[in-house]
DNA sequence: GTGATATATTCAACAAGTTGAATATATCAC
DNA sequence: GTGATATATTCAACTTGTTGAATATATCAC
């Protein structure tokens, strides 16, 4: 949220949309969590807020990052040490299910993997829209550096989608081979 | 834990080791959480436990899956519907950092990516030991079906490690290219 | 005999994330 | 005028996961 507010002041509603539309690929947050954390961040002095009266829409509260918030953001960005391990860590109930799939019917396991394949294909279609989306937001932010990193993150998405597809195809082939 | 106890009765300590040695690739759990959840599962009737007195070691409590626990396990294995989306979901503070890396020095961002690359290489070495490890545990469990799925999960690990390496190399190349 | 390692478990406090409903106003299409 | 959609926020209850210490016994190497 500090990262987003660093681009410009926003309401909780706008932050929520940003999480749901743009950041959802690598981070998800509930609406209720966003407002709760905004309040916590204001208590910590990382953000300020101001009520804005509107005629045509419900009133809103606009949050602005403070100097202390910017410091916090930068220090968080640089604490890579410990979190690289964290980055490598997978936590997947789906893989857990595959691991214990010996308890299922072979057909059920295959149908699970086929659903995964469909989901991969769906992701692929979703990624088609990413470059335009980056271009649009990039125009608003007007910071060449940012856009560069956004593209690097998008590239991760593409590569890992393709890897997922490769895996599921090989997995299905393996299981179908044994089935017959 | 039900999946593991389905292979055979175990103590919390053994479950903890299984998580740390074998399942840690796709699920992590703290020791304290394992014991807490064992107690919760016993309250739900999914497991039974029995105290075993030992001479050479501290006494232990052995947990055994019940009929109701086996049902629960099977029904969990088959609830793939909703969780496929969940499986596709990435949640990575590391990618978040890359996304906002425009706020860092270019050199700092590069050093973060190089650490990621090192971690990938480390993973690769760890994966070398997996096939032997599967063979060893497989001999104990004596269930061909299980082993098949274990290998499929290991394949996921290999493929996603390689994908991670491909990504980080391309990302570094991109950023270094702009640097000069 | 001392420190390291392995076995084996417990617990309190905290942090983070989820669920699901409630509230309120305005616009637009049918 | 009704239902859908968008704007905008709040809150209680709950579940899950983390931290970090505490306790206890036994073996093995130096």
């Amino acid at each position: 949220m500090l990262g987003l507010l660093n681009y410009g002041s926003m309401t909780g509603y706008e932050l929520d949309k940003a999480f749901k539309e743009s950041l959802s690929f690598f981070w998800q947050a509930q609406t209720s969590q966003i407002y709760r954390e905004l309040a916590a961040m204001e208590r910590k002095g990382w953000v300020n807020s101001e009520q804005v009266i509107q005629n045509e829409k419900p009133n809103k509260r606009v949050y602005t990052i403070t100097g202390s918030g910017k410091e916090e953001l930068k220090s968080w960005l640089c604490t890579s040490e410990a979190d690289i391990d964290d980055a490598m860590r997978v936590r997947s109930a789906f893989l857990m299910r595959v691991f214990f799939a010996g308890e299922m019917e072979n057909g059920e396991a295959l149908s699970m993997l086929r659903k995964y394949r469909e989901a991969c294909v769906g992701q692929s279609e979703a990624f088609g829209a990413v470059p335009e989306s980056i271009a649009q937001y990039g125009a608003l932010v007007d910071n060449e550096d940012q856009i560069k990193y956004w593209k690097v993150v998008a590239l991760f998405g593409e590569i890992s989608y393709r890897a997922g597809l490769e895996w599921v195809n090989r997995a299905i082939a393996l299981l179908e081979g044994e089935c017959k």
Side-chain angles (χ1 to χ4, degrees), chain A:
Chain A
M1 296 205 292
L2 288 175
L4 291 172
L5 290 174
N6 194 43
Y7 294 152
S9 298
M10 274 184 243
T11 64
Y13 188 74
E14 288 169 308
L15 285 166
D16 190 41
K17 270 196 300 181
F19 272 94
K20 261 137 212 158
E21 287 166 12
S22 311
L23 309 185
S24 68
F25 163 56
F26 55 87
W27 201 271
Q28 306 82 42
Q30 300 297 314
T31 306
S32 56
Q33 197 185 3
I34 284 167
Y35 285 102
R36 187 220 267 159
E37 296 307 325
L38 275 173
M41 281 162 57
E42 194 163 22
R43 277 198 302 277
K44 286 179 182 167
W46 297 343
V47 298
N48 285 331
S49 75
E50 210 185 334
Q51 179 93 20
V52 173
I53 310 296
Q54 297 187 118
N55 308 332
E56 303 148 21
K57 292 167 192 172
N59 297 339
K60 62 187 183 183
R61 181 164 289 277
V62 176
Y63 288 86
T64 303
I65 192 166
T66 64
S68 140
K70 285 184 185 188
E71 268 175 49
E72 173 61 25
L73 173 61
K74 268 168 203 168
S75 101
W76 178 77
L77 285 171
C78 295
T79 53
S80 43
E81 313 292 331
D83 267 337
I84 293 285
D85 292 339
D86 201 82
M88 309 296 297
R89 209 169 286 157
V90 176
R91 193 185 196 95
S92 164
F94 173 75
L95 285 177
M96 184 78 88
R97 266 208 219 87
V98 176
F99 191 86
F100 289 111
E103 283 305 304
M104 291 196 255
E105 302 289 315
N106 212 316
E108 277 177 315
L110 271 170
S111 111
M112 192 167 87
L113 291 172
R114 291 205 186 94
K115 273 178 201 155
Y116 183 89
R117 179 160 59 186
E118 279 168 45
C120 279
V121 173
Q123 282 288 76
S124 129
E125 283 155 24
F127 272 121
V130 168
E132 302 142 48
S133 175
I134 288 181
Q136 273 176 30
Y137 280 101
L140 295 171
V141 170
D142 192 36
N143 176 337
E144 275 303 315
D145 255 27
Q146 285 293 352
I147 299 173
K148 192 170 67 186
Y149 292 107
W150 294 356
K151 285 180 186 165
V152 167
V153 172
L155 183 63
F156 183 95
E158 272 174 53
I159 288 178
S160 58
Y161 137 73
R162 271 196 281 112
L165 200 59
E166 186 196 332
W167 169 72
V168 77
N169 282 328
R170 285 176 62 180
I172 289 172
L174 263 165
L175 298 178
E176 274 175 343
E178 281 207 20
C179 209
K180 281 154 197 170

